[in-house]
Amino acid sequence: MAHIAEWKKDEVKELKDLIADAKVVGVVNLLNIPARQLQEMRKSLKGKATLRLSKINLMNLALEDCNDEKADIIGLSEFMEGQPALICTDMNPFKLYKILEDSKTSAPAKAGAIANDDIIIPAGDTGFPAGPFLGELKQIGANPKVDKGKITVMKDFVAVKAGEEVPKNVAAVLTRMDIKPMEVGMDLKAVYEDGAIFKADVLAIDEEQTIADVQNAFTKAFNLSVFTAFPTDKTISAIIGSAHSKAFNVGVEAAIMNSKTSDMIIGLANAKMLALAGELSADALDDELSDKLANVAAAAPVAVAEEAEVEEEVEEEEEEKAEETAAIGLGALFG
C-alpha cells in the first residue's frame, strides 16, 4: 500500500470539517484571476463565506467522506474544472451567487483568452493621432480612417467573436484603447444545500422579473381566496368587505330600509325623480325642480373628477400592498 503523506491527510480533514460545518457548499472556478484581485475577493467574503483552494483529488476525497452526512454532496465533484476551489457558507445559495457576480470586475483581454461575448471596437474617434496605431487597427481589420488629424473607426467592428480565442495583436489594440471586455471574478459552478445541487444557471435569476412574478402570483392567489370565500389572515378583511358590499347592494336594490341603506335608497329615488324631471319640458317644472336640475348639472363635472381621483387612490393603494408583499417573499427567497 502506497504511503500517504501526512499533510494530505491533514488537508482532507480540514476540508471535511469545513464542509461538515457549512449549510451551503459550492464549487468556484478561480482560473485567470490575478493574485491581487483574488485577495480582494477573499476580503470581501470575510465573515460571510470561507474560500478554500486545494488539490482537486483532495477536495474530491473530502466530499466523498462527507457524503454520508450530506447526502449526494459528492455530485459537486462533477463541477471541478479550471482552477476549482470550495466555498463554504451559511448564506442562501441565491444570495451567494449574487455576491460573487457583483464582485466581478472588468479586465483587459489577454492573448489566448476565450471571449464569452463578442468583443467590439465601437465606431468613433479613438483619441489617437494619425500614426503607427492606424496600421495596427488596419491589421486586425477595423477599417480606420484619419479624420481631422485623429484616427476614427468608421463603424462598430467585431474584433473577436464569442467563443473564439483572443489573438495577440487584437489584445494589444484593445489594451491601448482601454477596452476591457473580459470579466474577472469567481465563477460559481454549482452549490449544494440540503441534499440538492443547484447549477449556476438556476441561481442566475432576473430580480425584476422575479418580483413581477411574485406580485402576479400573490394577486391571483388573493383574488382566488376572496372569490371562493376561503379565509386567510391576508384575505379575511376583503372577504368580509365583499360580503358587506353584496348585502348592502341587495338591501338597496330591494328597497329594504334600515340605518345603513336608507340614505342610499332615498338618494337613488331622488336621482330617479330628477332624471324623470329632466325629460320634461321647462314649462312642466316648478321653480324648486328647476333649481335642483340646475344644481345637478353644475355639480356633475366635479363629481366625475372626484370619483376618478378616488378610483386612482384605491388602485395605487392596492399596487403598494402587492409590492410590499412581493418584496417580503423575495427577501425570504434571497435569505
Side-chain angles (χ1 to χ4, degrees), residues 84 116 133 141 150 169 176 199 206 214 250 288 296 304:
N116 292 324
F133 189 56
K150 293 292 183 68
N169 58 345
R176 288 195 65 182
K199 295 181 181 179
D206 184 330
V214 172
V250 169
E288 184 180 359
V296 169
V304 170

Side-chain angles (χ1 to χ4, degrees), residues 230-250:
F230 184 86
T232 69
D233 60 340
K234 300 293 184 185
T235 60
I236 186 64
S237 296
I239 292 171
I240 293 173
S242 177
H244 176 271
S245 296
K246 290 176 181 177
F248 181 84
N249 291 339
V250 169

